[in-house]
Amino acid sequence: MSEGTRDQLYLALRLAYIEEYAARAEPVPFIGDDIFQTFDDARTAAGIRAFADTSGLFQPILFTHHLSLVAIARRVLG
């Protein structure tokens, strides 16, 4: 399994856990620092969309210094 695939699987499992936890306890924020560094643009867009879709359950906070990530987020989220 490639590093990018492992990172995507790990993120999916973390999001699923936080969603499940938020359903039975007080929501916690998700803080990620350059978590999309091994993702291609399409997978980055899907990850940003997943955070937007789950933002009603918990607060995702993403840090990055990559302008390309900002551009993808603007394109996906408007």
Side-chain angles (χ1 to χ4, degrees):
M1 191 180 299
S2 71
E3 180 181 0
T5 301
R6 282 192 312 264
D7 289 347
Q8 292 158 26
L9 177 59
Y10 178 71
L11 179 58
L13 293 172
R14 288 274 314 267
L15 288 177
Y17 172 75
I18 292 172
E19 284 182 47
E20 191 274 329
Y21 181 84
R24 60 182 165 79
E26 185 174 330
V28 296
F30 176 95
I31 300 173
D33 185 14
D34 273 337
I35 59 173
F36 297 118
Q37 68 185 2
T38 59
F39 290 32
D40 61 21
D41 288 351
R43 290 185 174 119
T44 297
I48 290 171
R49 183 167 308 169
F51 279 120
D53 291 345
T54 57
S55 65
L57 300 172
F58 60 90
Q59 181 181 15
I61 302 168
L62 303 175
F63 295 105
T64 188
H65 66 277
H66 297 284
L67 292 178
S68 61
L69 181 62
V70 174
I72 292 170
R74 284 188 177 140
R75 187 182 78 236
V76 170
L77 303 176

